[in-house]
Amino acid sequence: MLTTKGEFAGGAHISLKGNASFNTAYAVTDHFAVMANAGFMNNEGRRKDIEHKVFEFGGGYFKTFGPENNRILEIYGGLATGRSKRTFREYENDIVVSSNFYDAAYSKKFVQVNYSSKKVNDVNIFGFKFGLNYGTAWRLSFVETDDFYLNGMMQPNEDNVFLEPVFFTRMVLNEQIQLQYTSGSNIGLKSRKFLNAGHSVFTIGAVINVGRKPKTK
């Protein structure tokens, strides 16, 4: 969440499933910013293996408002490219009887609206006082698969539209660093055989904001 020209924001988060994400944004002017994000996952299990990577780039508008300019509205749009590989196994008496391997590249266009309040509510933890603030992000993603293979055989490509709401809580450690807890989900607006919504997401991580102009009285 950006507030002034020259400010840089960065974050790193990890989910319970081992999905690591990295987010960056830079305020080029007092109201225009560019963003670049990446996500990686390599999770091996008994019945399912997942390898996933995605890269996003975009830009958009941000504005502070409210009595103390402590509320932030951001509107972004962008493009993404990624690849997903998945292996599914079925067992009988602890013996693998079938395996299916999915491999697909995909592209994505997205529009995202963020809202956050910099107003801080204090909380006491083990005698130490920390500030908390809250926010939400709503994303609409248009996703298409490219070169989709099932067990080495090319399949018809699919497309879908996903609504992805996210809610986050940040604990303020100092002016530059905050810890963040995020919960979110995704909803597929089309019924597809393969390209459907995944599970809800819960992540923990940290965010930094540097280059912010000092508050004026």
Side-chain angles (χ1 to χ4, degrees), residues 2 65-66 79-80 132 145 149 171 183 189 202 207 214:
L2 300 170
F65 62 99
L79 304 172
L132 296 179
T145 63
Y149 290 87
M171 177 182 291
S183 62
L189 302 185
F202 303 93
V207 295

Side-chain angles (χ1 to χ4, degrees), residues 29-189:
T29 72
D30 280 328
H31 294 292
F32 178 76
V34 293
M35 60 185 289
N37 308 317
F40 304 93
M41 183 175 183
N42 193 342
N43 190 320
E44 297 182 357
R46 185 172 183 269
R47 294 185 176 274
K48 180 170 60 177
D49 299 338
I50 299 176
E51 182 181 345
H52 173 81
K53 59 184 177 181
V54 61
F55 302 93
E56 299 181 346
F57 304 92
Y61 174 85
F62 69 92
K63 178 179 177 61
T64 59
F65 62 99
E68 300 180 4
N69 275 333
N70 59 4
R71 296 174 176 85
I72 305 169
L73 177 68
E74 298 179 319
I75 303 173
Y76 291 103
L79 304 172
T81 182
R83 190 166 203 94
S84 181
K85 298 181 180 180
R86 298 171 183 246
T87 302
F88 296 90
R89 291 177 287 271
E90 293 186 4
Y91 289 81
E92 286 186 8
N93 299 322
D94 290 329
I95 298 174
V96 177
V97 294
S98 68
S99 296
N100 288 301
F101 180 71
Y102 299 78
D103 183 3
Y106 65 90
S107 58
K108 175 168 62 175
K109 306 176 184 70
F110 64 87
V111 178
Q112 179 172 320
V113 178
N114 305 336
Y115 170 79
S116 177
S117 174
K118 292 292 183 180
K119 182 179 179 181
V120 174
N121 298 318
D122 290 331
V123 60
N124 286 301
I125 300 178
F126 301 118
F128 296 93
K129 183 179 290 186
F130 297 94
L132 296 179
N133 55 57
Y134 308 90
T136 183
W138 289 75
R139 174 180 282 203
L140 194 64
S141 295
F142 305 84
V143 183
E144 296 179 304
T145 63
D146 305 298
D147 300 328
F148 175 31
Y149 290 87
L150 171 58
N151 297 328
M153 298 183 63
M154 183 171 284
Q155 305 294 311
N157 286 312
E158 294 186 344
D159 70 305
N160 210 332
V161 180
F162 297 99
L163 178 62
E164 302 166 283
V166 169
F167 305 91
F168 59 86
T169 300
R170 290 178 174 176
M171 177 182 291
V172 181
L173 301 184
N174 56 44
E175 287 291 327
Q176 289 79 36
I177 303 174
Q178 301 177 78
L179 301 181
Q180 179 170 301
Y181 166 76
T182 305
S183 62
S185 60
N186 56 75
I187 303 165
L189 302 185

Side-chain angles (χ1 to χ4, degrees), residues 203-217:
T203 69
I204 55 173
V207 295
I208 62 169
N209 287 79
V210 294
R212 181 177 299 168
K213 292 179 182 178
K215 294 181 180 179
T216 56
K217 295 182 179 181

